[in-house]
Amino acid sequence: MNFLAHVYLSGQDEQKAIGNFIADSVRGKQYLDFPKGIQHGILLHREIDTYTDNHSIWRKDKKILVPTYNHYAAVIIDMYYDHFLAKNWTMYHEVPLATYTANFYDTLARNFDLLPAKIQNFLPIMIRENWFMCYETVEGLGYILSQMDRRTKGISKMSQATRELIEHYAVLETDFTQFFKELENHVISIQQTSRFTDI
């Protein structure tokens, strides 16, 4: 899952959403350096990633991309899935995506000092280019993929990755819908465990 899905799966808890958002920049037990709500978010992010990486649907979809994109295939599939979440946002949330996005950006700005340096560095770009809203269209997603490709000096080939999205669009969207329903149910169940209630 990419940024939008991780934040969405945090529910209404701002601290948990921050933790879920920054988790990839927090290594090992460094999560213990953060407030408890953010700790919950970081742990939730890790659980979501483990569940996703081992899910048969996600693995099947990733195989479509592996021949061309190698280990970048996982990142691209996660971004495809964020696209489908953004595109079908009204099926998942009552707050319009534009409002939801603006509110989350505001949350990050208010908690800027808590963010890891890596997040602080790219956050202004993310907000300026409005990544969450870009996810909503194939063209917008293509722009973000191209920006990421530039950071890999073209090695990832991600600038080309909307090609497979368009080619397999119906199948990928159906797969996402089924997978995401199962993921939501999983998130509900794991947050009732002691790992998330005893911190």
Side-chain angles (χ1 to χ4, degrees), residues 64-65 68-69 76 80 157 160-169 172:
I64 296 172
L65 301 177
T68 303
Y69 304 100
I76 295 167
Y80 285 0
K157 303 179 184 177
Q160 306 171 26
T162 55
R163 179 182 58 198
E164 287 82 3
L165 175 61
I166 294 169
E167 181 180 352
H168 302 280
Y169 199 91
L172 289 168

Side-chain angles (χ1 to χ4, degrees), residues 64-97:
I64 296 172
L65 301 177
V66 168
T68 303
Y69 304 100
N70 299 310
H71 65 276
Y72 293 103
V75 176
I76 295 167
I77 285 296
D78 284 348
M79 295 186 70
Y80 285 0
Y81 281 13
D82 258 18
H83 162 66
F84 291 122
L85 175 59
K87 175 198 170 192
N88 299 298
W89 183 256
T90 56
M91 294 172 52
Y92 298 98
H93 208 290
E94 68 278 3
V95 177
L97 181 59

Side-chain angles (χ1 to χ4, degrees), residues 10 12 29 32 118 169 185 190:
S10 302
Q12 305 300 315
K29 292 188 177 181
L32 295 171
K118 181 179 178 181
Y169 199 91
N185 290 335
I190 63 173

Side-chain angles (χ1 to χ4, degrees), residues 1-123:
M1 291 289 94
N2 204 249
F3 288 126
L4 180 59
H6 276 293
V7 173
Y8 166 80
L9 290 166
S10 302
Q12 305 300 315
D13 189 320
E14 286 191 353
Q15 292 285 292
K16 189 180 293 181
I18 292 170
N20 216 333
F21 178 76
I22 69 173
D24 283 335
S25 297
V26 179
R27 301 302 176 194
K29 292 188 177 181
Q30 289 178 349
Y31 78 94
L32 295 171
D33 298 334
F34 293 89
K36 287 185 177 180
I38 293 179
Q39 290 182 34
H40 279 287
I42 293 168
L43 293 178
L44 178 59
H45 181 110
R46 293 175 180 178
E47 291 284 349
I48 290 169
D49 280 357
T50 297
Y51 179 84
T52 298
D53 291 348
N54 290 283
H55 198 286
S56 59
I57 292 176
W58 184 88
R59 291 168 70 91
K60 174 179 74 73
D61 289 346
K62 187 181 76 167
K63 285 182 179 179
I64 296 172
L65 301 177
V66 168
T68 303
Y69 304 100
N70 299 310
H71 65 276
Y72 293 103
V75 176
I76 295 167
I77 285 296
D78 284 348
M79 295 186 70
Y80 285 0
Y81 281 13
D82 258 18
H83 162 66
F84 291 122
L85 175 59
K87 175 198 170 192
N88 299 298
W89 183 256
T90 56
M91 294 172 52
Y92 298 98
H93 208 290
E94 68 278 3
V95 177
L97 181 59
T99 304
Y100 181 92
T101 296
N103 289 342
F104 182 63
Y105 292 162
D106 180 65
T107 296
L108 294 175
R110 285 187 283 105
N111 292 274
F112 190 80
D113 291 343
L114 289 173
L115 307 179
K118 181 179 178 181
I119 302 294
Q120 291 180 344
N121 289 337
F122 83 75
L123 185 62

Side-chain angles (χ1 to χ4, degrees), residues 98-181:
T99 304
Y100 181 92
T101 296
N103 289 342
F104 182 63
Y105 292 162
D106 180 65
T107 296
L108 294 175
R110 285 187 283 105
N111 292 274
F112 190 80
D113 291 343
L114 289 173
L115 307 179
K118 181 179 178 181
I119 302 294
Q120 291 180 344
N121 289 337
F122 83 75
L123 185 62
I125 299 171
M126 179 181 182
I127 293 175
R128 183 176 69 246
E129 297 181 350
N130 205 354
W131 286 8
F132 282 10
M133 291 303 297
C134 282
Y135 291 144
E136 194 173 20
T137 66
V138 173
E139 293 77 16
L141 181 64
Y143 173 75
I144 298 174
L145 287 165
S146 294
Q147 295 295 95
M148 295 176 70
D149 192 27
R150 287 177 59 189
R151 295 188 185 99
T152 69
K153 301 186 185 303
I155 295 172
S156 70
K157 303 179 184 177
M158 283 193 280
S159 61
Q160 306 171 26
T162 55
R163 179 182 58 198
E164 287 82 3
L165 175 61
I166 294 169
E167 181 180 352
H168 302 280
Y169 199 91
V171 170
L172 289 168
E173 185 167 22
T174 298
D175 284 351
F176 165 77
T177 302
Q178 180 181 343
F179 163 79
F180 202 65
K181 181 178 180 180

